[in-house]
CSV table of all heavy atoms in Angstrom, one decimal:
chain,number,residue,atom,x,y,z
N,164,LYS,N,-52.5,29.8,12.5
N,164,LYS,CA,-52.9,28.8,13.4
N,164,LYS,C,-51.6,27.9,13.6
N,164,LYS,O,-51.0,27.5,12.6
N,164,LYS,CB,-54.0,27.9,12.8
N,164,LYS,CG,-54.7,27.0,13.6
N,164,LYS,CD,-55.9,26.4,12.8
N,164,LYS,CE,-55.3,25.6,11.6
N,164,LYS,NZ,-56.4,24.9,10.8
N,165,LEU,N,-51.2,27.7,14.9
N,165,LEU,CA,-50.0,26.9,15.1
N,165,LEU,C,-50.1,25.5,14.5
N,165,LEU,O,-51.1,24.8,14.7
N,165,LEU,CB,-49.8,26.7,16.6
N,165,LEU,CG,-48.6,25.9,17.1
N,165,LEU,CD1,-47.3,26.4,16.6
N,165,LEU,CD2,-48.6,25.7,18.6
N,166,ALA,N,-49.1,25.2,13.7
N,166,ALA,CA,-49.1,23.8,13.1
N,166,ALA,C,-48.1,22.9,13.7
N,166,ALA,O,-48.4,21.7,13.9
N,166,ALA,CB,-48.8,24.0,11.6
N,167,GLU,N,-47.0,23.4,14.1
N,167,GLU,CA,-45.9,22.6,14.7
N,167,GLU,C,-44.9,23.4,15.4
N,167,GLU,O,-44.6,24.5,15.0
N,167,GLU,CB,-45.2,21.9,13.4
N,167,GLU,CG,-44.3,20.8,13.8
N,167,GLU,CD,-43.6,20.2,12.5
N,167,GLU,OE1,-44.3,20.0,11.5
N,167,GLU,OE2,-42.4,19.9,12.6
N,168,THR,N,-44.3,22.9,16.5
N,168,THR,CA,-43.2,23.5,17.1
N,168,THR,C,-42.1,22.5,17.3
N,168,THR,O,-42.4,21.3,17.4
N,168,THR,CB,-43.4,24.2,18.5
N,168,THR,OG1,-43.8,23.1,19.4
N,168,THR,CG2,-44.4,25.3,18.4
N,169,GLN,N,-40.9,22.9,17.2
N,169,GLN,CA,-39.8,21.9,17.3
N,169,GLN,C,-38.6,22.6,17.9
N,169,GLN,O,-38.2,23.7,17.5
N,169,GLN,CB,-39.5,21.6,15.8
N,169,GLN,CG,-38.6,20.3,15.7
N,169,GLN,CD,-38.3,20.1,14.2
N,169,GLN,OE1,-37.1,20.1,13.9
N,169,GLN,NE2,-39.3,19.8,13.4
N,170,THR,N,-38.0,22.0,18.9
N,170,THR,CA,-36.8,22.5,19.5
N,170,THR,C,-35.6,22.0,18.7
N,170,THR,O,-35.5,20.8,18.5
N,170,THR,CB,-36.6,22.1,21.0
N,170,THR,OG1,-37.7,22.6,21.7
N,170,THR,CG2,-35.3,22.6,21.6
N,171,LEU,N,-34.8,22.9,18.1
N,171,LEU,CA,-33.6,22.5,17.3
N,171,LEU,C,-32.5,22.0,18.3
N,171,LEU,O,-32.1,22.8,19.1
N,171,LEU,CB,-33.1,23.6,16.5
N,171,LEU,CG,-34.2,24.2,15.5
N,171,LEU,CD1,-33.6,25.3,14.7
N,171,LEU,CD2,-34.7,23.1,14.6
N,172,GLU,N,-32.2,20.7,18.3
N,172,GLU,CA,-31.3,20.2,19.3
N,172,GLU,C,-30.0,20.9,19.3
N,172,GLU,O,-29.3,21.0,20.3
N,172,GLU,CB,-31.1,18.7,19.0
N,172,GLU,CG,-32.3,17.8,19.5
N,172,GLU,CD,-32.7,18.2,20.9
N,172,GLU,OE1,-31.8,18.3,21.8
N,172,GLU,OE2,-33.9,18.4,21.2
N,173,ILE,N,-29.6,21.4,18.1
N,173,ILE,CA,-28.2,21.9,17.9
N,173,ILE,C,-27.9,23.2,18.8
N,173,ILE,O,-26.8,23.4,19.2
N,173,ILE,CB,-28.0,22.2,16.4
N,173,ILE,CG1,-26.5,22.2,16.1
N,173,ILE,CG2,-28.7,23.4,15.9
N,173,ILE,CD1,-26.2,22.0,14.6
N,174,ASN,N,-29.0,24.0,19.0
N,174,ASN,CA,-28.7,25.1,19.9
N,174,ASN,C,-30.0,25.5,20.8
N,174,ASN,O,-30.0,26.6,21.3
N,174,ASN,CB,-28.2,26.3,19.1
N,174,ASN,CG,-29.3,27.0,18.3
N,174,ASN,OD1,-30.3,26.4,18.1
N,174,ASN,ND2,-29.0,28.2,17.9
N,175,LYS,N,-30.9,24.6,20.8
N,175,LYS,CA,-32.1,24.7,21.7
N,175,LYS,C,-33.0,25.9,21.4
N,175,LYS,O,-33.8,26.4,22.2
N,175,LYS,CB,-31.7,24.8,23.2
N,175,LYS,CG,-30.8,23.7,23.7
N,175,LYS,CD,-31.5,22.4,23.6
N,175,LYS,CE,-30.6,21.2,24.0
N,175,LYS,NZ,-31.1,19.9,23.6
N,176,THR,N,-32.9,26.5,20.2
N,176,THR,CA,-33.8,27.5,19.7
N,176,THR,C,-35.1,26.7,19.3
N,176,THR,O,-35.1,25.5,19.1
N,176,THR,CB,-33.3,28.3,18.6
N,176,THR,OG1,-32.9,27.5,17.5
N,176,THR,CG2,-32.2,29.2,19.0
N,177,VAL,N,-36.2,27.4,19.2
N,177,VAL,CA,-37.5,26.8,18.8
N,177,VAL,C,-37.9,27.3,17.5
N,177,VAL,O,-38.0,28.5,17.2
N,177,VAL,CB,-38.5,27.1,19.9
N,177,VAL,CG1,-39.9,26.5,19.5
N,177,VAL,CG2,-38.1,26.6,21.3
N,178,MET,N,-38.3,26.4,16.6
N,178,MET,CA,-38.9,26.7,15.3
N,178,MET,C,-40.4,26.5,15.4
N,178,MET,O,-40.9,25.5,15.9
N,178,MET,CB,-38.3,25.8,14.2
N,178,MET,CG,-39.0,26.1,12.9
N,178,MET,SD,-38.2,25.3,11.5
N,178,MET,CE,-38.5,23.6,11.9
N,179,ILE,N,-41.1,27.6,15.1
N,179,ILE,CA,-42.6,27.6,15.1
N,179,ILE,C,-43.1,27.6,13.7
N,179,ILE,O,-42.7,28.5,12.9
N,179,ILE,CB,-43.1,28.8,15.9
N,179,ILE,CG1,-42.5,28.8,17.3
N,179,ILE,CG2,-44.6,28.9,15.9
N,179,ILE,CD1,-42.9,30.1,18.1
N,180,ILE,N,-43.9,26.7,13.3
N,180,ILE,CA,-44.5,26.7,12.0
N,180,ILE,C,-46.0,26.9,12.1
N,180,ILE,O,-46.7,26.3,12.9
N,180,ILE,CB,-44.2,25.4,11.2
N,180,ILE,CG1,-42.7,25.1,11.1
N,180,ILE,CG2,-44.9,25.4,9.9
N,180,ILE,CD1,-42.3,23.8,10.4
N,181,GLY,N,-46.5,27.9,11.3
N,181,GLY,CA,-47.9,28.2,11.4
N,181,GLY,C,-48.5,28.2,10.0
N,181,GLY,O,-47.9,28.4,9.0
N,182,GLU,N,-49.9,27.9,10.0
N,182,GLU,CA,-50.6,27.9,8.8
N,182,GLU,C,-51.4,29.2,8.7
N,182,GLU,O,-52.1,29.5,9.7
N,182,GLU,CB,-51.5,26.6,8.8
N,182,GLU,CG,-52.1,26.3,7.5
N,182,GLU,CD,-52.7,24.9,7.4
N,182,GLU,OE1,-52.2,24.0,8.1
N,182,GLU,OE2,-53.7,24.7,6.7
N,183,ILE,N,-51.4,29.9,7.6
N,183,ILE,CA,-52.0,31.2,7.4
N,183,ILE,C,-53.5,30.9,7.3
N,183,ILE,O,-54.0,30.1,6.5
N,183,ILE,CB,-51.5,31.9,6.2
N,183,ILE,CG1,-50.0,32.2,6.4
N,183,ILE,CG2,-52.3,33.2,5.9
N,183,ILE,CD1,-49.3,32.7,5.2
N,184,THR,N,-54.3,31.7,8.1
N,184,THR,CA,-55.8,31.6,8.0
N,184,THR,C,-56.4,32.8,7.4
N,184,THR,O,-57.5,32.7,6.8
N,184,THR,CB,-56.4,31.4,9.4
N,184,THR,OG1,-56.0,32.4,10.3
N,184,THR,CG2,-55.9,30.0,10.0
Side-chain angles (χ1 to χ4, degrees):
Chain N
K164 192 174 61 178
L165 176 62
E167 193 181 319
T168 61
Q169 196 181 117
T170 298
L171 303 179
E172 284 310 313
I173 201 158
N174 72 345
K175 306 297 177 195
T176 54
V177 178
M178 179 171 61
I179 301 174
I180 300 177
E182 196 166 327
I183 295 169
T184 58

